[in-house]
Amino acid sequence: MRIAHLVSERSTCLKRKEGAVIVREKRIVTTGYNGPPSGFPHCIDVGCLRDELGIPEGERLEVCRGLHAIQNAIIQGALIGVSVADSTLYCTHAPCLICAKMCVQARIRRIVMAKGWPQGLALQMLEEAGVKLEKLRVE
């Protein structure tokens, strides 16, 4: 979890810094932090689109320039050709619905989070898929 917190420091989000580390067989497979796709402007440089549009926190998560740390960690695996199946995800924040669906589809088997807990349909889907959920605080 300390590594996930360290990775989160690379985030360029104005709202919060998120980090994720995917581990399989006690080896780090991928990492991710929240920010825009490669080559796109960062919020620290151009401002927060959500603030500009007046979107309240926790609503309409798809309206954002950035990807979540969990999404980036899973995508990194696909990009470099490394499977994240049967792995453990360590993340600084609980997965949203979109991240939860990606974790299920990527066959991540365990999620350890520092803050929050999956809510609503995200929690339901993770539980139905048999993903083990744990809370671990490390500052």
Side-chain angles (χ1 to χ4, degrees), residues 28-50:
I28 295 173
V29 180
T30 65
T31 63
Y33 54 90
N34 57 324
S38 297
F40 281 78
H42 294 265
C43 295
I44 59 172
D45 298 323
V46 296
C48 177
L49 179 61
R50 294 177 59 77

Side-chain angles (χ1 to χ4, degrees), residues 71-90:
Q71 294 168 345
N72 271 325
I74 293 170
I75 291 166
Q76 183 185 37
L79 186 65
I80 63 174
V82 175
S83 174
V84 298
D86 303 318
S87 62
T88 296
L89 165 69
Y90 292 88

Side-chain angles (χ1 to χ4, degrees), residues 61-124:
L61 299 178
E62 76 281 2
V63 181
C64 179
R65 287 184 185 94
L67 292 132
H68 293 181
I70 294 169
Q71 294 168 345
N72 271 325
I74 293 170
I75 291 166
Q76 183 185 37
L79 186 65
I80 63 174
V82 175
S83 174
V84 298
D86 303 318
S87 62
T88 296
L89 165 69
Y90 292 88
C91 48
T92 57
H93 295 78
C96 69
L97 176 57
I98 295 168
C99 290
K101 290 189 282 187
M102 289 180 70
C103 288
V104 169
Q105 189 68 7
R107 291 196 350 233
I108 290 172
R109 299 296 181 214
R110 179 174 164 236
I111 300 174
V112 181
M113 60 213 99
K115 294 180 184 175
W117 195 257
Q119 299 295 310
L121 186 55
L123 178 59
Q124 180 184 339

Side-chain angles (χ1 to χ4, degrees), residues 13-29:
C13 178
L14 294 170
K15 297 283 187 188
R16 67 180 177 185
K17 295 186 176 298
E18 298 178 1
V21 177
I22 298 178
V23 175
R24 191 177 61 240
E25 298 175 8
K26 298 183 180 182
R27 288 187 174 90
I28 295 173
V29 180

